[in-house]
Amino acid sequence: MGNNGRMAAAPHRVDVAIVGAGFAGMYMLHRARSAGFSTHVFERGSGVGGTWYWNRYPGARCDVPSLEYSYQFSEELQQEWEWSEKYATQPEILRYAEHVADRFDLRRDISFETTVQSLNWQNNAWRVSTTSGATLARFVVLATGCLSAANVPRFPDDDLYKGNTYHTGNWPHEGVDFSGKRVAVVGTGSSGIQSIPVIAEQAEYLTVLQRTPAYSVPARNQTLSPDYVASVKANYGEFRRKNSLTRAALGGDTPTGPQGACEVSDQERHNALEVRWQKGGLLFLGAFNDALTNPTSNRLIADFVREKIRTTVCDPETARKLMPDAVIGCKRLCVDTDYYETFNRHNVSLIDLREQPIQRFTESGIVFTRPDTDGVGKPQTIEHEFDAVIFATGFDAMTGAINKIDIQGRDGQLLADVWSEGPVNYLGLSVHGFPNLFMITGPGSPSVLTNMIVSIQHHVDWITECIAQLGDSAKTTIEADSEAQREWVEHVNTVAGMTLYTSCSSWYLGTNIYGKPRVFMPLPGFPAYAQRCAEIARDDYRGFVTR
Ligand code: N01
């Protein structure tokens, strides 16, 4: 999708510069403009949509229901837009983003195909240097997305490989035809699990290269019934309000079970999990209230999923390899359509990279080290030929896209240096030493543990109110106080430490990226966080320094 031939030239000076035209940047533009600020957005893609602009891999769709994964700032918008399925596909979400851009006339203030390279705080303003010039801005809002810096791992001799390679997060706009092709998919997170069943239907042969098996629950996607849509739309405000009161800001109609998984009989537990399994989706983990706090409860819930894998996958050896042994929900839960069933197809096989690691690439494929030896202790190898290799290997999450920008704050300090041991911040919104710079859904906020659109709207509304109030005062700058920031980082670590989230390697912890500090980045619990943000604003922006 392009920008319909319209390309806004960046002004020399604006009140608010926004980096990124995904759902966060688009709404930030709308709000800041409506509040009377001159505003401009810089976007590296050629169209709006962010995550949904880049992630065009086969099978891409959202795992939050479409009636929830949508803006709520405009009653007219939420009434007029028609979602077709329970979980919207990537093309439908992108159409929605484009509709919003048109409806609110956003494109006239967006420079597409323009990458922000550096931000420098000089003389009480940010100098925003981009691939097409520089703009001075009083405020900068980083709407860079949490999952937008692709992680493409390197392997020995991968430059020799002559087949095609792809990353799910940077998929060709024209699509890819895998008919008659031998395809490898590396990675079995959400992107791999969504794309594998769809690619398997087209490719001649699909080999899945799995390093860590993931837990996945069925989506049970379906066409939305007009009656259900009408019932939600008749009371959309209340529907949204109920969702925002849940920990993940989603699924208010299906509250978390009132008991722990160990507090009920085996039969009751099985029944409760079966009901959620049949319903499908992320709320499976909400059957019991201690899934992510009590290791025994977690194991019982994980056992249920392992049993589902065992009874779904016909080949016992493949089923064994697909069964995760880690804490369920520690890595983000996946939601699929026919993922485990796909391994019953004649044209699909699984390689467990923990037993059979990648040794090197060749011109035509990949050489794996086999678990057996030649009898004198030397490992055997085996080569598989592939016409295409797809990397579903995830992202440098939450901080990756921010760190790609050279950000120099007060007194010349670099954000990269300040964050060398982890992304310190206050409320996930602001960093000490970086005045008038805000992050949307940054580390230190609930962000990726929630329905992202709810968290985005919450942050945009808070930031807009904050800068409007600053404008009403005689002050010109606002930034996090260093002590408030220290306490906030401690708070996030304490809350995360009370959960099982920190018990495994995951992108939440940054362990998927070599050399990245191991810090749990998001803050569990949306309602308490939103309440805290509101209190702080009411208390004259406690913990912020204004000058
Ligand atoms: O990425 P991931 P993703 N060699 O990081 C493997 C959101 N999302 O793009 O676990 C071999 O989850 C890695 O293995 P391991 C959602 O929040 C949402 O799938 O590190 N394998 C893992 O299996 C999601 O969580 C939707 O051992 C390597 C996989 O690649 C987030 O985006 C759809 C490797 C990466 O999984 C990221 O999902 C898609 C290597 N060197 C995404 N490096 C929906 O709304 C990595 N891997 C449905």
Side-chain angles (χ1 to χ4, degrees), residues 435-509:
N436 293 4
L437 179 75
F438 294 96
M439 299 177 286
I440 299 181
T441 60
S445 73
S447 179
V448 292
L449 297 177
T450 68
N451 174 354
M452 283 299 279
I453 309 275
V454 173
S455 284
I456 283 169
Q457 271 204 216
H458 170 252
H459 267 182
V460 170
D461 290 341
W462 194 95
I463 293 166
T464 309
E465 184 64 22
C466 173
I467 62 178
Q469 291 219 9
L470 193 73
D472 291 343
S473 70
K475 307 282 176 64
T476 55
T477 68
I478 182 164
E479 68 178 270
D481 168 61
S482 62
E483 181 55 18
Q485 174 168 292
R486 194 195 58 70
E487 285 173 9
W488 184 253
V489 170
E490 204 175 284
H491 172 67
V492 175
N493 286 334
T494 304
V495 175
M498 293 188 305
T499 71
L500 301 174
Y501 278 122
T502 51
S503 65
C504 73
S505 299
S506 72
W507 58 259
Y508 295 141
L509 268 171

Side-chain angles (χ1 to χ4, degrees), residues 51-52 55 57 59-64 69 93 147 151-155 167-169 186-194 209-214 282 331-335 353-354 358 391-395 397 448 505-508 511-512:
T51 291
W52 302 102
N55 284 266
Y57 60 84
R61 67 170 76 232
C62 189
D63 57 9
V64 172
Y69 192 86
I93 300 174
L147 296 159
N151 169 39
V152 187
R154 298 301 308 267
F155 295 96
H167 187 279
T168 47
V186 187
T188 51
S190 299
S191 305
I193 279 176
Q194 284 190 328
L209 311 188
Q210 168 193 275
R211 187 166 69 180
T212 310
L282 291 170
K331 283 181 196 288
R332 192 172 189 281
L333 188 64
C334 300
V335 177
L353 295 176
R354 294 184 298 190
I358 293 175
F391 292 101
T393 43
F395 303 88
V448 292
S505 299
S506 72
W507 58 259
Y508 295 141
T511 49
N512 63 328

Side-chain angles (χ1 to χ4, degrees), residues 107-138:
R107 291 176 216 266
R108 69 180 154 90
D109 286 321
I110 305 176
S111 292
F112 293 102
E113 293 169 21
T114 305
T115 301
V116 173
Q117 296 167 311
S118 66
L119 298 170
N120 290 276
W121 179 251
Q122 302 167 343
N123 306 322
N124 268 7
W126 284 102
R127 182 182 165 83
V128 182
S129 301
T130 75
T131 40
S132 50
T135 293
L136 288 179
R138 195 171 153 214

Side-chain angles (χ1 to χ4, degrees), residues 62-70 85-88 250-251 451:
C62 189
D63 57 9
V64 172
S66 45
L67 286 162
E68 298 183 45
Y69 192 86
S70 45
E85 293 175 82
K86 176 180 169 189
Y87 297 110
L250 62 91
N451 174 354

Side-chain angles (χ1 to χ4, degrees), residues 346-365:
H346 71 277
N347 68 332
V348 175
S349 61
L350 178 71
I351 292 180
D352 182 343
L353 295 176
R354 294 184 298 190
E355 295 174 358
Q356 205 169 306
I358 293 175
Q359 188 191 71
R360 65 190 158 86
F361 275 61
T362 65
E363 281 193 8
S364 52

